[in-house]
Amino acid sequence: MITKNKMICENLDRASDGELTFAGVRLSTLAARYGTPLYLYDEDRIRERCRTYLTAIRENFGEGAKALYASKAACFKRLYEIMREEGMGIDVVSSGEIYTAKRAGYPLERAYFHSNNKTDADIVYAMDNGVGYFVVDSTDELLAIDEIARERGIRQRVLLRITPGIDPHTYAAVATGKVDSKFGSAIETGQADEITALALSLGGIELRGFHCHVGSQVFDSDVYLRAAEVMLDFVANIYRTKGYLADELDIGGGYGVRYIESQPEIDIAANIKEVADFMKSYAASLGIALPAVAFEPGRSIVADAGLTVYTVGSVKRIPGYKSYVSVDGGMADNPRFALYGSPYTILPVMHDLPENSDEIEICSVVGRCCESGDIIQENVPVPRNIKRGDLIACLTTGAYHYSMASNYNRLPKPPIVMLNGGRDYVAVRRESFEDLSAQEV
Ligand SMILES: *Cc1c(COP(=O)(O)O)cnc(C)c1O
C-alpha cells in the first residue's frame, strides 16, 4: 500500500495559546455558539477529497470513468449540493437518500441505486424520479425491476452486483465480497453467470455492466488488484460465452482512513494509478476493451473532514480499577465503537496533553446512554486535571456517524455545522424535543 506520513488530520492545529483548531476555527467558539455535542465538517476538505478522486480517475482511466460518492457515509442535503457542484456521481441505497438528493437539486440520472433489498415501493420511487442506474443484487430483484420498467415502457439501466469471493481483512460487519455474503451474486456458485444471462433476456432491462464492493476500511491495495483481476476475468468470460461486453465496471469503495496515528494514510491518487495500470494491462492481456471504470468512495471522502466536540460531565475514578470520563453524547451520535470496536483519537480542546506523563491519566471516554457498551474509546490519555465542563474533541467522525445516529434514550441528534474558509454555517439544525415527538399522534 502506498502511504503518506502526516499529522492524523491536516486540518487540525493548535492556536498559540494551545487551543485546538479545526479548519482554522477555534472549537470553543463553535461550542459556545452551537452547544455540544456538535458535529463539524470541513467543507474544503470534502471538496479536496472529491477532486483528488476525480482527477486521479480521469487521468488514469480517461473521461468515461466515474467517481461515485457512497452517500450512506454521510447523507444530508448540503452534502449532495457539494457533490453536485464537484461533479461527483452518487450511490444511494434507499428512497430516503433519493429524496434528500432530489431536495438538493442533485441530477438523479447520475445516481446509482444500491441495496440488497429494494422494495417495490423503492423501485417505483427511483424510476419515477429518474434515478439513472440500479445496481441489482439478486434474481428476485432483477425480475421485479424488469416488471416495473416494462409497465412504464422503459428499459432500466442496470449493473449487476457480483461477489468476487475476496476477503478484504477488515471488520466482519463491513466485509462484503466473500462468497457467503448477503450481497450480490457469486461467481464461484455460477449465480453470477445465471443472473447475467437472465438480465440479457429481459425486455425491461438494459445491462450496462458489473459491480463489486469488497468491504470498507481496507488498507491493503492488493485487495483492489485481486478484485479487479477477478472481475476482469468475469467480464472476459461473459464476453466469450455470451457475446456481451460490459460497458461499465464498478469496483466499489472502501479505501481506509486514519483514525489513529498507527494507521497509515492512504495516498488515493497513487493507489488509483496502481489499480489503473494493472487493469489496463490485464484487460489487454485478456483481449478485451477495458470497460468504463467507477470507484465508490464514501468514508474516504468525508471521514477526516468531520470532528465531534463534546463537553465532559462526570469524571469517575474507581481506585485500583479504572477511570471514566463521561461526555454529553455517546453511542447515539457515535455507535461505531459499540458496533465494531473502532479506534478513535480523542484530544483535549483548550490545551494539548501535558508534556509530563505524571500529569496524564488513562481513562475510558464513555457516553451518557444507559448501556455499559456505550463507549467512545478505551485507554484514552487525558490531563489528570480534566473536569466537568471541559471540552474534548473526537477526531475523524465524518463518516458513519450522523448517518448512523439514533435517538436512543430520547437524545436529540446534534446539529451539523460546516466550516469553510474560516466561516461557519448550519447545514442541519439541532433536533428539538418537539422534533423528537413530531410523529406522535
Ligand atoms: C458502503 C459502500 C461503499 C462505500 O464504502 P466506504 O468504505 O465508505 O468507502 C461503496 N459501495 C458500496 C456498494 C457500499 O455498500
Side-chain angles (χ1 to χ4, degrees):
M1 185 59 86
I2 302 158
T3 59
K4 292 189 269 199
N5 244 326
K6 278 195 239 105
M7 287 270 292
I8 176 143
C9 301
E10 300 167 45
N11 45 9
L12 277 167
D13 207 350
R14 293 237 172 230
S16 53
D17 62 2
E19 180 173 350
L20 194 61
T21 63
F22 185 57
V25 185
R26 283 178 181 265
L27 297 183
S28 64
T29 314
L30 297 168
R33 187 169 303 156
Y34 300 106
T36 60
L38 174 61
Y39 289 129
L40 299 173
Y41 277 95
D42 174 358
E43 180 180 335
D44 298 329
R45 177 69 174 165
I46 297 172
R47 291 183 186 275
E48 179 199 316
R49 300 295 275 181
C50 292
R51 289 170 198 175
T52 298
Y53 269 100
L54 285 168
T55 307
I57 287 170
R58 284 182 187 142
E59 271 174 8
N60 292 290
F61 286 102
E63 286 302 315
K66 294 179 186 177
L68 313 172
Y69 168 60
S71 57
K72 70 176 196 271
C75 170
F76 50 96
K77 181 170 144 253
R78 180 64 189 136
L79 208 45
Y80 286 117
E81 289 169 358
I82 293 170
M83 293 305 142
R84 170 168 57 77
E85 289 164 10
E86 292 299 326
M88 292 283 285
I90 56 167
D91 281 358
V92 290
V93 294
S94 69
S95 296
E97 288 188 355
I98 294 168
Y99 171 81
T100 310
K102 186 177 154 182
R103 280 195 67 215
Y106 187 87
L108 288 169
E109 70 275 7
R110 297 213 311 249
Y112 285 66
F113 189 9
H114 285 265
S115 147
N116 68 308
N117 186 20
K118 303 166 189 73
T119 65
D120 287 358
D122 286 331
I123 296 169
V124 166
Y125 188 79
M127 281 186 195
D128 286 351
N129 284 291
V131 167
Y133 299 80
F134 282 54
V135 183
V136 177
D137 201 86
S138 64
T139 305
D140 264 6
E141 186 176 284
L142 184 63
L143 292 171
I145 292 168
D146 174 58
E147 193 179 323
I148 297 170
R150 279 189 291 109
E151 280 166 11
R152 288 170 161 62
I154 62 164
R155 291 186 79 196
Q156 178 60 53
R157 294 181 156 195
V158 308
L159 303 185
L160 299 175
R161 180 163 182 164
I162 304 300
T163 319
I166 283 173
D167 181 353
H169 303 294
T170 180
Y171 312 120
V174 294
T176 51
K178 296 197 276 183
V179 174
D180 62 359
S181 169
K182 79 164 178 174
F183 296 102
S185 306
I187 297 173
E188 189 183 305
T189 59
Q191 287 163 306
D193 262 47
E194 281 163 33
I195 195 169
T196 305
L198 181 62
L200 290 169
S201 75
L202 297 173
I205 299 295
E206 179 187 343
L207 183 60
R208 294 288 302 163
F210 303 102
H211 164 272
C212 74
H213 170 70
V214 291
S216 198
Q217 189 61 353
V218 176
F219 284 108
D220 182 0
S221 63
D222 189 50
V223 166
Y224 292 93
L225 301 182
R226 282 188 294 137
E229 180 178 0
V230 171
M231 292 300 288
L232 284 171
D233 283 338
F234 178 73
V235 167
N237 193 41
I238 292 291
Y239 182 52
R240 274 197 304 275
T241 57
K242 302 190 169 54
Y244 168 77
L245 184 60
D247 298 289
E248 298 191 26
L249 179 55
D250 180 340
I251 57 173
Y255 279 121
V257 303
R258 192 175 196 195
Y259 289 96
I260 50 174
E261 241 168 4
S262 59
Q263 291 172 325
E265 166 150 354
I266 297 179
D267 183 335
I268 296 294
N271 275 272
I272 287 174
K273 181 173 187 322
E274 192 182 3
V275 174
D277 289 348
F278 170 77
M279 288 181 88
K280 285 188 266 192
S281 74
Y282 195 59
S285 76
L286 292 169
I288 54 167
L290 182 63
V293 170
F295 285 79
E296 302 178 316
R299 188 190 309 271
S300 54
I301 297 285
V302 287
D304 68 12
L307 177 150
T308 306
V309 188
Y310 297 109
T311 302
V312 170
S314 306
V315 178
K316 180 183 290 185
R317 297 185 173 88
I318 309 173
Y321 291 87
K322 67 199 287 191
S323 298
Y324 288 100
V325 170
S326 302
V327 297
D328 55 354
M331 67 192 295
D333 65 84
N334 178 6
R336 294 190 66 259
F337 186 88
L339 276 170
Y340 321 117
S342 311
Y344 283 98
T345 301
I346 293 175
L347 296 176
V349 168
M350 296 315 286
H351 296 284
D352 208 349
L353 282 174
E355 300 272 326
N356 183 347
S357 60
D358 292 347
E359 294 168 34
I360 292 177
E361 176 176 11
I362 302 301
C363 71
S364 298
V365 174
V366 298
R368 59 175 293 179
C369 294
C370 303
E371 290 209 14
S372 294
D374 174 26
I375 296 166
I376 305 273
Q377 199 60 207
E378 303 271 23
N379 300 315
V380 180
V382 297
R384 214 170 257 291
N385 64 1
I386 193 166
K387 60 178 188 315
R388 192 175 184 88
D390 287 355
L391 296 174
I392 59 173
C394 182
L395 312 186
T396 327
T397 61
Y400 306 106
H401 280 232
Y402 174 68
S403 63
M404 283 187 159
S406 76
N407 293 116
Y408 183 45
N409 287 174
R410 213 61 161 168
L411 295 176
K413 286 182 194 140
I416 295 177
V417 169
M418 309 292 291
L419 305 176
N420 173 344
R423 202 170 64 89
D424 54 270
Y425 65 93
V426 177
V428 180
R429 64 172 174 73
R430 186 181 294 282
E431 273 184 350
S432 64
F433 298 139
E434 292 73 22
D435 292 332
L436 290 175
S437 279
Q439 274 68 249
E440 291 169 355
V441 291

